């Protein structure tokens, strides 16, 4: 049995884990008229969740026996093998399995080991903060959120459409679709490695004999650069270690850049210093244009250029990845093979 068709396939959604992301997703889906069933490793969030219209169950297995259209794993990666072991015996072929983890390759390996690979489509919402738990969750955390949806050579296209329906129509969000390897390398660049750099800045402050003076003088730049270092260190450590190969490569590249700047400053090489700061100009121009186009600045309510893409049965994987590389973000599937897009690209 295949997953249900697009537009109706993600009406009933099961969420395993009511933490920051799982709780925020559950809240948002309910607000958009989806039927949400949830399980958490303890029942502390249940009373508050039930009042919001989230239907809580007492066991993980009950999520699957209820035959949702999508079952989303929203728990730490270390718990995934045991969860999959419990779910596999009661799995129904009509269910599409997804998740919200920041590392896709490793999760897919665990899903395949549990015999559920044919039902899996990876997902990663690009949202979050330094807090945790259902009490910290809120629908607004996913306002204007972009999701990465991941596939491999065996992914069922109809199941990708099912997850897309949950994201685009069920959550009023956007998505890009790409393979696991590309996702994990990019996630390391924009999330995992920056967490290490942010923590290094905080460590530098802690080690300074003048830390109280420096802290008193700190303002916006310090706040922005160190915000993610305030995240639970256990959570950050797990994220970084799980993506160790990609993070190591990026940290060594960063070390080379920083050493080059230090050497240029030591040698009073103004040309090299100027070149370092000028190299980021394409990104500065992109962000400046984004600010000019934003509603807060009197610009369009939608930032970016709109359009559409066509997908084909024999080449949809390459077409979706190429689309993502062009800066195109899918806002909705209008048919099974056509999607509306919003382009936000850096020249």
């Amino acid at each position: 049995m295949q997953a249900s068709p697009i537009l109706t396939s993600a009406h009933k959604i099961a969420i395993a884990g009511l933490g920051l992301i799982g709780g925020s997703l559950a809240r948002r889906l309910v607000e958009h008229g989806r039927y949400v069933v949830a399980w958490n490793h303890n029942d502390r969030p249940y009373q508050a969740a039930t009042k919001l219209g989230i239907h809580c169950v007492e066991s993980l297995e009950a999520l699957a026996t209820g035959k949702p259209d999508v079952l989303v794993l929203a728990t730490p990666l270390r718990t995934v093998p045991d969860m999959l072991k419990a779910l596999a015996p009661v799995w129904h072929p009509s269910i599409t399995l997804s998740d919200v983890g920041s590392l896709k390759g490793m999760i897919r390996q665990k899903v395949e080991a549990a015999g559920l690979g044919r039902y899996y489509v990876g997902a990663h919402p690009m949202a979050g903060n330094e807090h945790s738990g259902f009490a910290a969750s809120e629908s607004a955390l996913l306002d204007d959120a972009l999701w990465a949806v991941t596939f491999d050579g065996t992914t069922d296209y109809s199941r990708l459409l099912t997850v897309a329906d949950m994201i685009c129509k069920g959550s009023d969000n956007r998505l890009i679709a790409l393979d696991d390897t590309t996702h994990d390398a990019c996630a390391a660049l924009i999330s995992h490695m920056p967490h290490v750099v942010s923590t290094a800045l905080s460590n530098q402050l802690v080690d300074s004999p003048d830390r109280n003076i420096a802290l008193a003088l700190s303002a916006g730049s310090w706040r922005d650069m160190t915000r993610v270092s305030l995240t639970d260190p256990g959570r950050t450590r797990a994220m970084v270690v799980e993506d160790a190969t990609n993070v190591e490569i990026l940290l060594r590249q960063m070390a080379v850049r920083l050493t080059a700047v230090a050497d240029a400053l030591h040698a009073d090489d103004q040309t090299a210093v100027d070149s370092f700061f000028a190299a980021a100009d394409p990104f500065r121009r992109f962000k400046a244009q984004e600010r000019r186009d934003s509603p807060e600045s009197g610009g369009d309510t939608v930032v970016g250029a709109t359009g559409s893409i066509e997908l084909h049965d024999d080449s949809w994987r390459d077409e979706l990845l190429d689309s993502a590389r062009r800066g195109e973000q899918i806002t909705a599937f209008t048919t099974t093979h056509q999607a509306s897009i919003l382009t936000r690209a850096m020249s």
Side-chain angles (χ1 to χ4, degrees), residues 224-276:
D224 294 344
M225 290 288 291
T226 58
R227 180 185 63 80
V228 295
S229 73
L230 306 179
T231 306
D232 170 33
R235 194 172 88 186
T236 301
R237 178 190 176 280
M239 175 181 68
V240 169
V241 170
E242 288 156 3
D243 200 13
T245 300
N246 286 318
V247 174
E248 177 191 354
I249 291 170
L250 290 167
L251 287 175
R252 294 191 185 282
Q253 291 174 348
M254 181 63 68
V256 170
R257 291 179 186 274
L258 295 176
T259 299
V261 177
D263 290 344
L265 292 171
H266 180 76
D268 194 22
D269 185 344
Q270 292 303 310
T271 300
V273 173
D274 291 345
S275 177
F276 171 80

Short mmCIF file of all heavy atoms in Angstrom, two decimals, residues 224-276:
data_model
loop_
_atom_site.label_atom_id
_atom_site.label_comp_id
_atom_site.label_asym_id
_atom_site.label_seq_id
_atom_site.Cartn_x
_atom_site.Cartn_y
_atom_site.Cartn_z
N ASP A 224 24.65 38.62 20.13
CA ASP A 224 24.30 37.87 18.93
C ASP A 224 25.29 36.74 18.65
O ASP A 224 24.91 35.65 18.22
CB ASP A 224 24.23 38.80 17.72
CG ASP A 224 23.11 39.81 17.83
OD1 ASP A 224 22.19 39.60 18.67
OD2 ASP A 224 23.13 40.82 17.10
N MET A 225 26.56 36.99 18.89
CA MET A 225 27.58 35.99 18.60
C MET A 225 27.59 34.83 19.60
O MET A 225 28.06 33.74 19.29
CB MET A 225 28.97 36.65 18.60
CG MET A 225 29.21 37.57 17.41
SD MET A 225 29.41 36.66 15.86
CE MET A 225 31.00 35.86 16.14
N THR A 226 27.09 35.05 20.80
CA THR A 226 27.18 34.01 21.84
C THR A 226 25.83 33.42 22.22
O THR A 226 25.77 32.57 23.11
CB THR A 226 27.85 34.57 23.11
OG1 THR A 226 27.09 35.71 23.57
CG2 THR A 226 29.28 34.98 22.83
N ARG A 227 24.75 33.82 21.56
CA ARG A 227 23.42 33.34 21.97
C ARG A 227 23.34 31.82 21.97
O ARG A 227 22.87 31.22 22.93
CB ARG A 227 22.34 33.91 21.03
CG ARG A 227 20.93 33.45 21.40
CD ARG A 227 19.90 33.93 20.40
NE ARG A 227 20.10 33.39 19.07
CZ ARG A 227 19.72 32.16 18.70
NH1 ARG A 227 19.14 31.34 19.58
NH2 ARG A 227 19.93 31.74 17.47
N VAL A 228 23.81 31.16 20.91
CA VAL A 228 23.64 29.72 20.84
C VAL A 228 24.56 28.99 21.82
O VAL A 228 24.33 27.81 22.13
CB VAL A 228 23.86 29.18 19.41
CG1 VAL A 228 22.78 29.71 18.49
CG2 VAL A 228 25.23 29.48 18.90
N SER A 229 25.59 29.67 22.35
CA SER A 229 26.43 29.02 23.37
C SER A 229 25.67 28.84 24.68
O SER A 229 26.13 28.11 25.56
CB SER A 229 27.71 29.83 23.61
OG SER A 229 27.43 31.02 24.34
N LEU A 230 24.51 29.49 24.80
CA LEU A 230 23.69 29.35 26.00
C LEU A 230 22.82 28.10 25.97
O LEU A 230 22.19 27.74 26.96
CB LEU A 230 22.78 30.58 26.16
CG LEU A 230 23.48 31.94 26.15
CD1 LEU A 230 22.46 33.06 26.29
CD2 LEU A 230 24.52 32.02 27.26
N THR A 231 22.81 27.41 24.83
CA THR A 231 22.06 26.16 24.71
C THR A 231 22.61 25.12 25.67
O THR A 231 23.80 25.11 25.99
CB THR A 231 22.16 25.64 23.26
OG1 THR A 231 21.74 26.67 22.36
CG2 THR A 231 21.31 24.40 23.05
N ASP A 232 21.74 24.22 26.12
CA ASP A 232 22.18 23.12 26.98
C ASP A 232 23.42 22.46 26.36
O ASP A 232 23.37 21.96 25.24
CB ASP A 232 21.05 22.10 27.10
CG ASP A 232 21.48 20.81 27.78
OD1 ASP A 232 22.35 20.87 28.66
OD2 ASP A 232 20.95 19.74 27.41
N PRO A 233 24.55 22.45 27.07
CA PRO A 233 25.79 21.94 26.47
C PRO A 233 25.71 20.47 26.08
O PRO A 233 26.37 20.04 25.12
CB PRO A 233 26.85 22.19 27.56
CG PRO A 233 26.08 22.34 28.83
CD PRO A 233 24.77 22.95 28.45
N GLY A 234 24.92 19.69 26.80
CA GLY A 234 24.76 18.29 26.43
C GLY A 234 24.09 18.14 25.08
O GLY A 234 24.49 17.30 24.25
N ARG A 235 23.10 18.97 24.82
CA ARG A 235 22.41 18.94 23.54
C ARG A 235 23.34 19.37 22.42
O ARG A 235 23.37 18.76 21.34
CB ARG A 235 21.18 19.85 23.60
CG ARG A 235 20.19 19.65 22.48
CD ARG A 235 18.91 20.45 22.74
NE ARG A 235 19.01 21.80 22.21
CZ ARG A 235 18.09 22.74 22.40
NH1 ARG A 235 17.04 22.49 23.16
NH2 ARG A 235 18.22 23.93 21.85
N THR A 236 24.09 20.44 22.66
CA THR A 236 25.03 20.92 21.64
C THR A 236 26.12 19.90 21.37
O THR A 236 26.48 19.63 20.21
CB THR A 236 25.65 22.26 22.07
OG1 THR A 236 24.62 23.21 22.29
CG2 THR A 236 26.61 22.78 21.02
N ARG A 237 26.67 19.34 22.44
CA ARG A 237 27.73 18.34 22.28
C ARG A 237 27.26 17.18 21.43
O ARG A 237 27.97 16.74 20.50
CB ARG A 237 28.19 17.84 23.65
CG ARG A 237 29.27 16.77 23.55
CD ARG A 237 29.54 16.10 24.89
NE ARG A 237 30.51 15.02 24.76
CZ ARG A 237 30.21 13.80 24.31
NH1 ARG A 237 28.97 13.49 23.96
NH2 ARG A 237 31.16 12.88 24.22
N ALA A 238 26.07 16.67 21.70
CA ALA A 238 25.55 15.54 20.93
C ALA A 238 25.42 15.90 19.46
O ALA A 238 25.81 15.12 18.58
CB ALA A 238 24.20 15.10 21.49
N MET A 239 24.90 17.07 19.17
CA MET A 239 24.73 17.53 17.79
C MET A 239 26.06 17.60 17.06
O MET A 239 26.18 17.16 15.91
CB MET A 239 24.05 18.89 17.79
CG MET A 239 23.90 19.55 16.45
SD MET A 239 23.11 21.17 16.58
CE MET A 239 24.41 22.09 17.46
N VAL A 240 27.08 18.14 17.73
CA VAL A 240 28.39 18.31 17.10
C VAL A 240 29.09 16.97 16.91
O VAL A 240 29.65 16.68 15.84
CB VAL A 240 29.25 19.26 17.95
CG1 VAL A 240 30.70 19.25 17.48
CG2 VAL A 240 28.69 20.68 17.91
N VAL A 241 29.05 16.12 17.94
CA VAL A 241 29.72 14.83 17.85
C VAL A 241 29.08 13.95 16.78
O VAL A 241 29.77 13.22 16.05
CB VAL A 241 29.69 14.12 19.23
CG1 VAL A 241 30.16 12.68 19.12
CG2 VAL A 241 30.56 14.88 20.22
N GLU A 242 27.75 14.00 16.68
CA GLU A 242 27.06 13.18 15.68
C GLU A 242 27.43 13.59 14.25
O GLU A 242 27.34 12.78 13.33
CB GLU A 242 25.55 13.28 15.90
CG GLU A 242 25.09 12.53 17.14
CD GLU A 242 23.78 13.05 17.72
OE1 GLU A 242 23.19 13.98 17.11
OE2 GLU A 242 23.35 12.55 18.76
N ASP A 243 27.84 14.83 14.05
CA ASP A 243 28.25 15.31 12.72
C ASP A 243 29.74 15.62 12.72
O ASP A 243 30.19 16.57 12.06
CB ASP A 243 27.44 16.56 12.37
CG ASP A 243 27.43 16.85 10.87
OD1 ASP A 243 27.84 15.98 10.09
OD2 ASP A 243 27.01 17.96 10.49
N ALA A 244 30.51 14.82 13.44
CA ALA A 244 31.92 15.11 13.71
C ALA A 244 32.76 15.30 12.45
O ALA A 244 33.59 16.22 12.38
CB ALA A 244 32.53 14.00 14.57
N THR A 245 32.57 14.48 11.45
CA THR A 245 33.40 14.56 10.25
C THR A 245 33.25 15.91 9.56
O THR A 245 34.24 16.58 9.23
CB THR A 245 33.05 13.43 9.27
OG1 THR A 245 33.27 12.16 9.91
CG2 THR A 245 33.91 13.52 8.01
N ASN A 246 32.00 16.32 9.33
CA ASN A 246 31.77 17.61 8.68
C ASN A 246 32.24 18.78 9.54
O ASN A 246 32.83 19.74 9.03
CB ASN A 246 30.28 17.78 8.35
CG ASN A 246 29.84 16.93 7.18
OD1 ASN A 246 30.54 16.81 6.18
ND2 ASN A 246 28.69 16.31 7.31
N VAL A 247 31.97 18.71 10.84
CA VAL A 247 32.34 19.81 11.74
C VAL A 247 33.86 19.95 11.82
O VAL A 247 34.40 21.06 11.81
CB VAL A 247 31.73 19.61 13.13
CG1 VAL A 247 32.23 20.68 14.10
CG2 VAL A 247 30.21 19.66 13.06
N GLU A 248 34.58 18.83 11.87
CA GLU A 248 36.04 18.89 11.93
C GLU A 248 36.61 19.60 10.71
O GLU A 248 37.49 20.47 10.82
CB GLU A 248 36.63 17.48 12.02
CG GLU A 248 38.15 17.49 12.02
CD GLU A 248 38.77 16.12 11.83
OE1 GLU A 248 38.03 15.12 11.81
OE2 GLU A 248 40.01 16.06 11.69
N ILE A 249 36.12 19.24 9.53
CA ILE A 249 36.61 19.87 8.30
C ILE A 249 36.39 21.37 8.35
O ILE A 249 37.30 22.17 8.04
CB ILE A 249 35.90 19.26 7.08
CG1 ILE A 249 36.34 17.81 6.88
CG2 ILE A 249 36.19 20.09 5.81
CD1 ILE A 249 35.52 17.05 5.85
N LEU A 250 35.21 21.80 8.75
CA LEU A 250 34.88 23.22 8.78
C LEU A 250 35.68 23.98 9.83
O LEU A 250 36.12 25.11 9.60
CB LEU A 250 33.39 23.41 9.02
CG LEU A 250 32.50 22.99 7.85
CD1 LEU A 250 31.04 22.92 8.29
CD2 LEU A 250 32.66 23.95 6.67
N LEU A 251 35.88 23.37 10.98
CA LEU A 251 36.67 24.03 12.03
C LEU A 251 38.11 24.23 11.60
O LEU A 251 38.73 25.26 11.89
CB LEU A 251 36.60 23.23 13.33
CG LEU A 251 35.28 23.29 14.10
CD1 LEU A 251 35.32 22.36 15.29
CD2 LEU A 251 34.97 24.72 14.56
N ARG A 252 38.66 23.24 10.90
CA ARG A 252 40.04 23.39 10.41
C ARG A 252 40.11 24.48 9.34
O ARG A 252 41.08 25.24 9.28
CB ARG A 252 40.56 22.05 9.88
CG ARG A 252 40.71 21.00 10.99
CD ARG A 252 41.47 19.77 10.53
NE ARG A 252 41.48 18.74 11.57
CZ ARG A 252 42.27 18.76 12.64
NH1 ARG A 252 43.13 19.76 12.82
NH2 ARG A 252 42.22 17.80 13.54
N GLN A 253 39.08 24.56 8.49
CA GLN A 253 39.05 25.64 7.50
C GLN A 253 38.92 27.00 8.18
O GLN A 253 39.56 27.98 7.78
CB GLN A 253 37.88 25.42 6.53
CG GLN A 253 38.06 24.23 5.62
CD GLN A 253 36.83 23.94 4.77
OE1 GLN A 253 35.75 24.49 5.00
NE2 GLN A 253 36.98 23.07 3.78
N MET A 254 38.10 27.07 9.22
CA MET A 254 37.94 28.31 9.98
C MET A 254 39.25 28.70 10.65
O MET A 254 39.62 29.89 10.69
CB MET A 254 36.82 28.15 11.01
CG MET A 254 36.54 29.40 11.85
SD MET A 254 35.96 30.79 10.86
CE MET A 254 34.34 30.17 10.36
N ALA A 255 39.94 27.71 11.20
CA ALA A 255 41.22 27.99 11.87
C ALA A 255 42.22 28.59 10.88
O ALA A 255 42.99 29.50 11.22
CB ALA A 255 41.77 26.71 12.49
N VAL A 256 42.22 28.09 9.65
CA VAL A 256 43.11 28.63 8.62
C VAL A 256 42.76 30.09 8.33
O VAL A 256 43.66 30.95 8.23
CB VAL A 256 43.03 27.78 7.33
CG1 VAL A 256 43.76 28.48 6.18
CG2 VAL A 256 43.62 26.40 7.57
N ARG A 257 41.47 30.40 8.21
CA ARG A 257 41.04 31.78 7.95
C ARG A 257 41.47 32.71 9.09
O ARG A 257 41.98 33.81 8.86
CB ARG A 257 39.52 31.83 7.79
CG ARG A 257 38.99 31.17 6.54
CD ARG A 257 37.46 31.26 6.50
NE ARG A 257 36.92 30.52 5.38
CZ ARG A 257 36.78 30.98 4.14
NH1 ARG A 257 37.17 32.22 3.87
NH2 ARG A 257 36.28 30.23 3.18
N LEU A 258 41.24 32.28 10.32
CA LEU A 258 41.56 33.13 11.46
C LEU A 258 43.07 33.32 11.61
O LEU A 258 43.54 34.42 11.93
CB LEU A 258 40.97 32.53 12.74
CG LEU A 258 39.43 32.48 12.79
CD1 LEU A 258 38.97 31.77 14.06
CD2 LEU A 258 38.84 33.88 12.71
N THR A 259 43.81 32.25 11.36
CA THR A 259 45.27 32.36 11.42
C THR A 259 45.79 33.32 10.35
O THR A 259 46.72 34.11 10.61
CB THR A 259 45.91 30.97 11.25
OG1 THR A 259 45.47 30.12 12.32
CG2 THR A 259 47.42 31.06 11.29
N ALA A 260 45.18 33.26 9.17
CA ALA A 260 45.60 34.16 8.09
C ALA A 260 45.36 35.62 8.47
O ALA A 260 46.19 36.50 8.19
CB ALA A 260 44.86 33.82 6.80
N VAL A 261 44.24 35.90 9.13
CA VAL A 261 43.97 37.27 9.57
C VAL A 261 44.96 37.69 10.65
O VAL A 261 45.49 38.82 10.63
CB VAL A 261 42.53 37.41 10.11
CG1 VAL A 261 42.29 38.82 10.64
CG2 VAL A 261 41.53 37.10 9.02
N ALA A 262 45.23 36.79 11.58
CA ALA A 262 46.21 37.09 12.63
C ALA A 262 47.57 37.38 12.03
O ALA A 262 48.27 38.33 12.44
CB ALA A 262 46.28 35.93 13.62
N ASP A 263 47.98 36.58 11.05
CA ASP A 263 49.27 36.80 10.39
C ASP A 263 49.29 38.15 9.66
O ASP A 263 50.30 38.87 9.68
CB ASP A 263 49.54 35.67 9.39
CG ASP A 263 49.84 34.34 10.09
OD1 ASP A 263 50.13 34.36 11.31
OD2 ASP A 263 49.77 33.30 9.40
N ALA A 264 48.16 38.49 9.01
CA ALA A 264 48.10 39.76 8.28
C ALA A 264 48.18 40.94 9.24
O ALA A 264 48.84 41.95 8.95
CB ALA A 264 46.81 39.82 7.46
N LEU A 265 47.53 40.82 10.38
CA LEU A 265 47.60 41.89 11.38
C LEU A 265 49.02 42.02 11.93
O LEU A 265 49.53 43.13 12.12
CB LEU A 265 46.60 41.61 12.51
CG LEU A 265 45.12 41.71 12.13
CD1 LEU A 265 44.25 41.19 13.27
CD2 LEU A 265 44.74 43.15 11.78
N HIS A 266 49.65 40.88 12.17
CA HIS A 266 51.03 40.89 12.69
C HIS A 266 51.98 41.55 11.69
O HIS A 266 52.89 42.30 12.08
CB HIS A 266 51.48 39.46 12.98
CG HIS A 266 52.87 39.37 13.51
ND1 HIS A 266 53.21 39.70 14.80
CD2 HIS A 266 54.04 39.00 12.90
CE1 HIS A 266 54.50 39.54 14.98
NE2 HIS A 266 55.03 39.11 13.83
N ALA A 267 51.77 41.28 10.41
CA ALA A 267 52.65 41.80 9.35
C ALA A 267 52.22 43.18 8.88
O ALA A 267 52.86 43.75 7.98
CB ALA A 267 52.68 40.83 8.18
N ASP A 268 51.15 43.70 9.46
CA ASP A 268 50.59 44.99 9.02
C ASP A 268 50.30 44.98 7.53
O ASP A 268 50.57 45.94 6.80
CB ASP A 268 51.54 46.14 9.37
CG ASP A 268 50.86 47.51 9.25
OD1 ASP A 268 49.61 47.54 9.31
OD2 ASP A 268 51.56 48.51 9.06
N ASP A 269 49.72 43.85 7.06
CA ASP A 269 49.40 43.66 5.64
C ASP A 269 47.97 44.15 5.42
O ASP A 269 47.01 43.38 5.50
CB ASP A 269 49.54 42.18 5.26
CG ASP A 269 49.34 41.92 3.78
OD1 ASP A 269 48.81 42.81 3.09
OD2 ASP A 269 49.68 40.81 3.33
N GLN A 270 47.82 45.43 5.12
CA GLN A 270 46.50 46.03 5.00
C GLN A 270 45.73 45.46 3.80
O GLN A 270 44.50 45.35 3.85
CB GLN A 270 46.62 47.55 4.86
CG GLN A 270 47.13 48.24 6.12
CD GLN A 270 46.24 47.93 7.32
OE1 GLN A 270 45.02 48.06 7.25
NE2 GLN A 270 46.86 47.52 8.42
N THR A 271 46.43 45.09 2.75
CA THR A 271 45.76 44.51 1.59
C THR A 271 45.07 43.20 1.96
O THR A 271 43.91 42.95 1.58
CB THR A 271 46.76 44.27 0.45
OG1 THR A 271 47.34 45.52 0.07
CG2 THR A 271 46.07 43.64 -0.75
N ALA A 272 45.78 42.36 2.70
CA ALA A 272 45.21 41.08 3.12
C ALA A 272 44.03 41.28 4.08
O ALA A 272 43.03 40.57 4.00
CB ALA A 272 46.29 40.21 3.77
N VAL A 273 44.17 42.25 4.98
CA VAL A 273 43.08 42.53 5.93
C VAL A 273 41.85 43.03 5.18
O VAL A 273 40.72 42.59 5.43
CB VAL A 273 43.53 43.55 6.99
CG1 VAL A 273 42.35 43.97 7.86
CG2 VAL A 273 44.64 42.97 7.86
N ASP A 274 42.06 43.96 4.23
CA ASP A 274 40.96 44.48 3.45
C ASP A 274 40.28 43.37 2.65
O ASP A 274 39.05 43.33 2.54
CB ASP A 274 41.45 45.57 2.49
CG ASP A 274 41.88 46.84 3.21
OD1 ASP A 274 41.54 46.98 4.40
OD2 ASP A 274 42.56 47.68 2.58
N SER A 275 41.08 42.50 2.08
CA SER A 275 40.54 41.39 1.28
C SER A 275 39.68 40.46 2.14
O SER A 275 38.62 39.99 1.70
CB SER A 275 41.68 40.61 0.64
OG SER A 275 41.20 39.51 -0.08
N PHE A 276 40.12 40.23 3.37
CA PHE A 276 39.37 39.37 4.28
C PHE A 276 37.97 39.93 4.53
O PHE A 276 36.96 39.23 4.42
CB PHE A 276 40.12 39.20 5.60
CG PHE A 276 39.33 38.51 6.67
CD1 PHE A 276 39.22 37.12 6.68
CD2 PHE A 276 38.68 39.24 7.66
CE1 PHE A 276 38.46 36.47 7.66
CE2 PHE A 276 37.94 38.60 8.65
CZ PHE A 276 37.83 37.22 8.65
#
